[in-house]
Amino acid sequence: MLRRDPDTVKNRMATTAEQAPRGAGTYALSGCRPVPLSSHEIACYEDSYEYWDGATGLAWEVHDVSARHEEPCGRLVELVKDIGKMRGKPISMYGTADLQERKADGTRVQAARADQLIYLDRRAGPPEVIVVGDFPLPDVVFEVDLTTDIRDRKLEVYASWGIPELWVEVPDASMPSKRKRPGLTIHVLADGRYRRRPESDTFPTLSARELHRALNEPWTSSFTVATVRRVGEAMGRLTGTGPDDDPFLGVERRMSRQAGQREGQRRERLATVESLLAARNIPAADQLGAELDRIATHPHETVIKAALECRDLRDFLRRLGP
């Protein structure tokens, strides 16, 4: 992977700034510094960049990637994975793959690196570089605008590539730019342009407000849990799956149902004993609850026989044994 010497980069940046053509094709991305990189160099560049333009030979590198930038990405992964469990079908997420546009001869035209890529129905991971037109596009691209602004260039690039849906998160924090306020914006592609929507098309019923809240709360709230359940179930209805189809939730739910059935059988046996004793004028109501485990350990026939032959409640318990 290519890492640039800081002095070399600084000198090349100054030279490129003097030589770069002005006007169309020249972009300045807020919160980023321009780094001169050739088509060959961008292929193996390991530092974090937002966008690379083949016409100018410039990559726009993020000034500072802070923990505050990474937190929403981590929370989004947890949120989407939980929705996938409720859906009953895994949802894949990738945060390291580059998106590139190339000419027919393989020449790189432009490239972008998103914070997260979401694929609803792709189990195998994408290649290291996703070439637009050669590999399926993600269903959703997620971007965090902390010090950068996707509207500078990447928004129109994603639209030109045909990314169906774009989520842009501005975290709850003091922002250095007055252009942005904390919140999440959902962009849905329609007629080649992004339109802002209050809810996601890809994740039915999931709103921008719910997404932003989930990505910024200090711990998962009951509100977010309810959101995950609702959205996951709505998506499951579209695929004919549900929580029982998830490898983990399916086992847990089956075990819970079995435990519930066993408890129901225990309670039913207790009610039968109380009914038999009451028919024989032996008061037992509300007195056998503490003996439920004891009654349940004996065969049903033994318990019924004791209830029919005992003289009183104490004798019934004695006949059951210790």
Side-chain angles (χ1 to χ4, degrees):
M1 302 296 287
L2 178 66
R3 291 192 67 88
R4 308 301 302 275
D5 176 73
D7 291 334
T8 301
V9 171
K10 184 177 181 180
N11 293 335
R12 287 191 62 184
M13 284 171 56
T15 302
T16 303
E18 295 175 358
Q19 297 177 350
R22 302 299 176 185
T26 303
Y27 306 96
L29 275 64
S30 60
C32 298
R33 56 175 173 263
V35 178
L37 290 176
S38 67
S39 177
H40 173 73
E41 289 171 328
I42 193 63
C44 53
Y45 190 61
E46 70 173 0
D47 286 334
S48 178
Y49 74 93
E50 289 289 306
Y51 171 71
W52 174 81
D53 183 15
T56 61
L58 290 178
W60 292 89
E61 186 179 275
V62 180
H63 279 300
D64 180 33
V65 180
S66 65
R68 193 69 188 94
H69 178 278
E70 298 302 313
E71 284 177 5
C73 295
R75 293 185 182 278
L76 180 71
V77 171
E78 295 177 2
L79 181 74
V80 171
K81 294 296 183 184
D82 287 343
I83 291 175
K85 290 181 182 297
M86 290 302 301
R87 177 197 187 204
K89 195 173 183 181
I91 300 174
S92 301
M93 297 192 65
Y94 308 100
T96 56
D98 290 355
L99 293 160
Q100 288 187 6
E101 178 184 347
R102 297 181 182 179
K103 295 181 180 179
D105 62 2
T107 303
R108 297 174 182 84
V109 177
Q110 54 187 349
R113 181 173 292 173
D115 290 317
Q116 289 290 333
L117 308 179
I118 303 176
Y119 283 88
L120 292 188
D121 300 303
R122 178 162 293 278
R123 300 298 296 273
E128 185 175 346
V129 174
I130 297 175
V131 178
V132 177
D134 292 348
F135 191 84
L137 294 172
D139 296 286
V140 177
V141 164
F142 176 73
E143 292 276 6
V144 178
D145 270 7
L146 187 60
T147 57
T148 59
D149 196 324
I150 193 172
R151 295 172 296 182
D152 289 337
R153 177 59 175 157
K154 294 176 78 175
L155 188 69
E156 61 184 272
V157 171
Y158 287 146
S160 70
W161 288 345
I163 303 294
E165 191 162 311
L166 176 65
W167 298 348
V168 182
E169 165 68 12
V170 179
D172 287 337
S174 299
M175 305 305 299
S177 172
K178 296 182 180 179
R179 298 175 62 191
K180 299 175 291 184
R181 294 181 179 179
L184 186 138
T185 305
I186 294 176
H187 301 271
V188 175
L189 193 65
D191 299 324
R193 295 179 59 190
Y194 281 122
R195 311 289 184 182
R196 291 190 178 189
R197 299 282 177 81
E199 292 186 358
S200 169
D201 280 3
T202 308
F203 287 70
T205 78
L206 181 60
S207 72
R209 180 179 60 86
E210 291 169 331
L211 263 172
H212 179 71
R213 174 171 176 167
L215 299 184
N216 288 272
E217 58 190 10
W219 56 81
T220 303
S221 65
S222 58
F223 179 87
T224 296
V225 171
T227 299
V228 166
R229 292 177 61 88
R230 187 196 72 241
V231 175
E233 290 172 354
M235 297 179 72
R237 287 192 289 270
L238 298 177
T239 57
T241 55
D244 285 339
D245 297 297
D246 179 77
F248 179 78
L249 284 186
V251 171
E252 292 297 312
R253 288 164 66 90
R254 284 191 291 274
M255 292 178 63
S256 178
R257 283 195 292 268
Q258 291 170 359
Q261 290 171 355
R262 288 193 296 269
E263 182 64 18
Q265 292 170 352
R266 285 153 50 93
R267 294 291 177 181
E268 184 177 352
R269 177 178 292 188
L270 177 63
T272 300
V273 170
E274 290 178 340
S275 178
L276 288 175
L277 293 176
R280 301 184 59 226
N281 295 319
I282 299 176
D286 301 325
Q287 299 184 56
L288 288 177
E291 304 295 337
L292 183 58
D293 290 338
R294 184 177 179 184
I295 294 173
T297 59
H298 291 78
H300 183 65
E301 295 77 7
T302 301
V303 174
I304 297 302
K305 186 173 185 294
L308 292 174
E309 297 179 354
C310 67
R311 296 186 301 274
D312 52 30
L313 186 58
R314 179 177 296 182
D315 184 39
F316 167 73
L317 296 175
R318 182 187 62 77
R319 289 172 181 271
L320 292 183

